[in-house]
Amino acid sequence: AKNGTNPKHVLLSNRSACHAKLQQWDKALEDAKNCIIANSSFAKGFSRKGAALHGKGDYAGAAQAYQRALDLEANNETFKQGLAAAKQAAGGTQSSSNASASSSSSSRPGAAYSSNSGASSSASGKKPSLFLDVVILLAQIFAVVCAVMYLLTSDPHQSRFLFMRATLAATVSYFLTAVARHGMPDMGTFKVMWKAFRGQATQADTRGIFNFAQDDNTHYLFYCPILISCTPSLVLLMPVILSSAVTASQRGKRLAEMSAVTKKLSGMTFDKVVAREAQLKQMCGNAEVLILIFMVVELFTPRRNLLFLILYLQLIKVRMLINPDSKAAWTNAAQKCDSVFLHARSPAPVQTVYRKVRGFVAGQMNPQMPPR
């Protein structure tokens, strides 16, 4: 993919389609998942995943995947047909076996994928999702505006107030997005979590929770509440500002397509941000590295926040395994450190200490950092 004409996620998507054509559903699903990891904003990756899950007989999972694809491209008729076919197949399976439906319902992390909520969603049509889209967009715009105002103010009390408002608005937007994608947790969710805690959960049981944990939105939903405990800082707000700007522009562009006037306005605002999505996501990854450096340095000042640092390290472990931009940022940071501390003119004791520290970090954080 590096020397070819198509990026990696497109090649994985095409290969997944080829496997699906040959009814090699496991291989098709594996390529679809890798496609999503390579580019989580590529809608066709989720549709490939939906087709593979449909072929494997996981109709509820297929419906979830097609819904994610429609969240990114709301007007795609192929995705709509795939979602309708998955829901129809899931309905047929539910009618023939109530026990199977109960098990499938409990394997996802929210009531949105249970039979009752699915029925209510179908009955209510698109109006609730449109309303929710608008509310999320307003919350994201409010978060970005508060962050910009935080940059412009010099009053410490006002800065703290704006920092908190930006963080809380972003938290609301991430929470509502999680509800729209995964549904509200129900009793089935907690039963699965208890089974997983005891080591008795199967892969099928935890599929929904696994999808929830892989979502970038979930990572930021975890990040914002722990951010509230910190002393206000622009560095800490950077991932929130950038991710909110990207997702708000994607959502605004999708909503603007409903009329010619709003579509023209979108071309002057949202389209410009969406066109720079790759650069902004790369900046998010670099901001994650900068935040860790910032928090380590703060340990030697009265502003130190050890609890935030510990929780943030746990988040980074997950991000480096799942998010390609985060992985690339940490790999790049490791290479730059190597060029300094493993330089030919670097003293031997410094190189020895650095290798030990690097090996420890690689073992704890599990980034793409080969041992030296």
Side-chain angles (χ1 to χ4, degrees):
K2 198 169 186 180
N3 299 321
T5 56
N6 290 323
K8 180 180 178 181
H9 65 275
V10 175
L11 297 178
L12 288 168
S13 171
N14 293 341
R15 192 168 71 176
S16 176
C18 293
H19 286 312
K21 192 73 173 177
L22 297 173
Q23 297 187 1
Q24 298 173 346
W25 305 118
D26 289 331
K27 292 182 178 180
L29 181 59
E30 181 181 358
D31 279 341
K33 288 181 176 179
N34 289 331
C35 173
I36 294 170
I37 292 174
N39 188 347
S40 59
S41 62
F42 185 56
K44 192 170 286 187
F46 290 99
S47 73
R48 300 299 190 207
K49 181 180 178 181
L53 290 173
H54 193 286
K56 286 171 64 67
D58 182 4
Y59 304 121
Q64 180 184 353
Y66 278 118
Q67 186 59 59
R68 287 292 306 278
L70 282 170
D71 288 343
L72 296 170
E73 290 185 20
N75 297 323
N76 191 301
E77 291 299 327
T78 304
F79 299 166
K80 291 179 181 178
Q81 292 171 6
L83 177 61
K87 284 185 174 180
Q88 184 177 2
T93 305
Q94 184 178 13
S95 300
S96 61
S97 175
N98 290 332
S100 174
S102 175
S103 173
S104 175
S105 174
S106 66
S107 68
R108 281 165 296 281
Y113 305 118
S114 67
S115 58
N116 292 338
S117 65
S120 64
S121 175
S122 302
S124 60
K126 293 184 179 179
K127 288 184 179 180
S129 69
L130 174 61
F131 173 76
L132 194 57
D133 258 351
V134 173
V135 173
I136 294 172
L137 178 61
L138 292 175
Q140 290 173 328
I141 293 175
F142 184 73
V144 173
V145 170
C146 287
V148 172
M149 292 175 65
Y150 165 77
L151 299 179
L152 299 177
T153 186
S154 57
D155 180 31
H157 298 290
Q158 187 70 9
S159 295
R160 177 70 182 175
F161 177 69
L162 291 170
F163 181 87
M164 294 292 292
R165 292 182 75 174
T167 304
L168 290 172
T171 304
V172 170
S173 69
Y174 294 134
F175 174 76
L176 293 178
T177 301
V179 170
R181 291 179 180 177
H182 306 283
M184 289 292 290
D186 58 7
M187 285 304 299
T189 308
F190 298 109
K191 289 179 181 178
V192 171
M193 292 174 66
W194 177 243
K195 287 174 66 178
F197 178 75
R198 293 184 297 170
Q200 299 175 352
T202 64
Q203 186 175 359
D205 289 332
T206 58
R207 184 184 295 114
I209 296 176
F210 180 75
N211 291 336
F212 178 74
Q214 276 193 315
D215 195 345
D216 273 359
N217 182 80
T218 304
H219 304 162
Y220 289 115
L221 179 59
F222 174 82
Y223 176 71
C224 282
I226 64 174
L227 193 61
I228 295 174
S229 67
C230 296
T231 304
S233 171
L234 171 62
V235 175
L236 299 178
L237 269 183
M238 283 177 65
V240 176
I241 297 172
L242 294 171
S243 67
S244 294
V246 171
T247 53
S249 298
Q250 290 173 340
R251 183 169 280 105
K253 181 180 179 181
R254 187 171 67 246
L255 293 174
E257 292 177 353
M258 296 180 180
S259 71
V261 177
T262 53
K263 191 172 183 179
K264 188 175 181 179
L265 292 173
S266 172
M268 297 186 296
T269 53
F270 298 130
D271 289 1
K272 294 182 179 179
V273 178
V274 172
R276 292 173 175 80
E277 178 184 352
Q279 294 93 321
L280 292 173
K281 286 187 174 181
Q282 185 178 6
M283 290 173 64
C284 276
N286 294 333
E288 292 174 9
V289 179
L290 187 60
I291 287 171
L292 183 59
I293 297 173
F294 179 77
M295 295 307 298
V296 170
V297 172
E298 271 201 341
L299 288 177
F300 303 96
T301 71
R303 291 164 53 104
R304 58 183 172 270
N305 190 331
L306 186 59
L307 177 60
F308 175 85
L309 180 59
I310 293 172
L311 294 174
Y312 184 70
L313 286 171
Q314 301 307 311
L315 174 62
I316 291 303
K317 285 184 181 181
V318 177
R319 295 281 294 166
M320 282 191 289
L321 290 171
I322 295 175
N323 186 273
D325 297 299
S326 180
K327 188 187 301 183
W330 285 99
T331 302
N332 184 48
Q335 290 172 350
K336 288 183 178 179
C337 289
D338 289 346
S339 66
V340 174
F341 294 104
L342 297 180
H343 193 272
R345 294 183 179 179
S346 179
V350 172
Q351 293 189 25
T352 302
V353 172
Y354 173 72
R355 284 193 176 96
K356 289 183 178 180
V357 172
R358 193 183 195 282
F360 174 77
V361 173
Q364 293 296 315
M365 308 296 289
N366 197 26
Q368 296 298 310
M369 297 191 336
R372 295 277 174 148

